[in-house]
Amino acid sequence: MSYEVVIEPTGDVIEVDEGQTILDAALRQGVWLPFACGHGTCATCKCQVTEGDVDLGNASPFALMDIEREEGKILVCCATPESDLVIEADIDVDEDFEGFPVKDFIGHVSAIEDLSPTIKGIHFTLDDEIEFQAGQYINLNIPGVEGSRAFSIANTPSDNKVLELHVRLVEGGAGTTYLHEQLQVGDKLELSGPYGQFFTRHSDSNDVIFIAGGSGLSSPQSMIFELIERGDTREIYLFQGARNIAELYNRTLFENLAKEHSNFHYIPALNAPEPDDDWQGFTGFVHDAADAHFNGRFDGHKAYLCGPPPMINAAITTLMQGRLFERDIHMERFLTAADESDDQSRSALFKRI
């Protein structure tokens, strides 16, 4: 049995199977609804039911208060229809969003490489082609781990039968520990995708700044190589932050790219270089490197940020002080499973970030 759900103000109509969440059905039919945590704790996916009946599921009482429940509000990531529905969602339609539907895949592990002491590159060959936009992510099901884990795609959309993921080992993290210590070449894992609203805005003609920290380099890597593949003539800047030389992975890859393409500029930054690193580049945090390079003025650029929440928040502040506005800044925070329920990980500066 299935139910018809009309989504206003766009007028999209989706079919939702009995027991299926509204969000899952929408994403699998190429209809985007705003969401973040995916399991009822952050309130990003809050919508208003105007017609029909719904089971609220495991919505957190903090994300969906009693008075909101009485008013007919739901969290679509955990709500399931009990009749045909009409819902109202706060949707900003982005002209660059291609809306590829979410699908399920089997990934065969084809290679595992040590990118740094704490980050592994894991390569999958897929059982089918995946359509995605550079910057988006997949959800990976890990044996023995409850739920799924999100990882950004590091390869370009033109490589649509493979996936490259950059996985940082999280202390005490069940998922990343398994991927670092137990995963073997030849293993098969289930995954789904694509997800996310982090992608290159090709319709924007402004020059592009990427600021990445840790394994947050994965999305910018995909986006930068896609821009190069497309012959994009904008000036492209990558600021990559790490603690020391050992953690500054794929450095040679981007140094060579900068030699081959005059419109690509690579600026690495180390905030705690080791004495034997003999580091001659920028010493400090990655947002400070960007600030120094542009002399504190970022107007006329589009910025993409990817990394841990402290880096993102510091970069947002720096960019705003340098004359960028919300419309000019796009980001993807790299959260652990423990981080996802922490409302402090969201910026108070922006409505959509």
Side-chain angles (χ1 to χ4, degrees), residues 108-112 123-125 162-163 185-187:
H108 301 251
V109 181
S110 57
I112 303 174
H123 299 255
F124 293 90
T125 300
V162 302
L163 284 180
V185 171
D187 288 352

Side-chain angles (χ1 to χ4, degrees), residues 8-318:
E8 299 293 359
T10 61
D12 290 309
V13 180
I14 60 173
E15 292 292 325
V16 185
D17 292 334
E18 188 170 10
Q20 183 181 28
T21 68
I22 297 169
L23 177 63
D24 184 66
L27 295 176
R28 290 180 180 276
Q29 292 168 61
V31 176
W32 184 78
L33 290 171
F35 76 101
C37 74
H39 46 71
T41 60
C42 75
T44 303
C45 68
K46 191 176 297 180
C47 294
Q48 177 72 48
V49 176
T50 58
E51 294 181 26
D53 300 312
V54 65
D55 184 334
L56 297 177
N58 295 321
S60 162
F62 301 101
L64 192 66
M65 296 181 291
D66 289 342
I67 189 170
E68 292 177 311
R69 296 168 189 245
E70 294 172 3
E71 293 171 347
K73 289 185 171 60
I74 61 171
L75 303 182
V76 293
C77 69
C78 54
T80 57
E82 295 182 325
S83 71
D84 292 343
L85 297 175
V86 177
I87 65 173
E88 291 182 352
D90 184 12
I91 301 175
D92 293 325
V93 179
D94 192 309
E95 63 177 303
D96 288 297
F97 181 57
E98 297 185 36
F100 294 122
V102 170
K103 296 181 181 180
D104 297 316
F105 300 90
I106 300 294
H108 301 251
V109 181
S110 57
I112 303 174
E113 58 180 329
D114 291 325
L115 296 176
S116 84
T118 61
I119 299 172
K120 285 187 181 292
I122 301 177
H123 299 255
F124 293 90
T125 300
L126 302 179
D127 61 337
D128 195 5
E129 294 182 352
I130 180 172
E131 290 184 296
F132 67 95
Q133 291 181 256
Q136 291 189 299
Y137 68 90
I138 56 93
N139 279 337
L140 187 66
N141 295 327
I142 302 172
V145 177
E146 183 178 358
S148 59
R149 298 293 185 269
F151 297 99
S152 291
I153 304 169
N155 54 285
T156 62
S158 60
D159 296 325
N160 57 10
K161 282 278 292 193
V162 302
L163 284 180
E164 176 185 345
L165 310 179
H166 299 169
V167 179
R168 179 177 66 88
L169 180 63
V170 177
E171 185 176 357
T176 61
T177 297
Y178 181 94
L179 296 177
H180 271 250
E181 298 180 0
Q182 295 179 250
L183 189 70
Q184 300 291 324
V185 171
D187 288 352
K188 299 179 183 179
L189 272 66
E190 297 177 348
L191 59 97
S192 63
Y195 297 95
Q197 288 286 292
F198 189 62
F199 50 83
T200 313
R201 271 63 180 179
H202 292 290
S203 65
D204 192 292
S205 61
N206 287 326
D207 292 339
V208 185
I209 298 170
F210 292 96
I211 301 178
S215 60
L217 180 65
S218 51
S219 289
Q221 177 174 305
S222 175
M223 298 162 86
I224 289 167
F225 274 89
E226 186 202 34
L227 287 169
I228 297 295
E229 280 183 3
R230 292 168 63 111
D232 199 293
T233 59
R234 286 177 288 182
E235 298 297 311
I236 305 167
Y237 301 85
L238 170 61
F239 295 88
Q240 181 188 4
R243 285 185 56 80
N244 50 49
I245 285 286
E247 293 292 346
L248 191 70
Y249 74 95
N250 282 359
R251 176 187 177 189
T252 301
L253 177 70
F254 289 106
E255 287 178 338
N256 290 338
L257 192 68
K259 293 176 183 177
E260 296 167 2
H261 299 275
S262 61
N263 65 321
F264 174 67
H265 313 277
Y266 176 56
I267 304 94
L270 301 183
N271 67 288
E274 299 292 340
D276 58 357
D277 282 341
D278 190 26
W279 179 242
Q280 303 299 316
F282 185 90
T283 300
F285 292 107
V286 66
H287 63 278
D288 292 325
D291 190 53
H293 186 87
F294 286 99
N295 295 317
R297 291 299 299 265
F298 300 99
D299 43 320
H301 292 83
K302 180 74 72 172
Y304 298 88
L305 320 177
C306 196
M311 187 219 81
I312 294 291
N313 292 337
I316 288 173
T317 300
T318 298

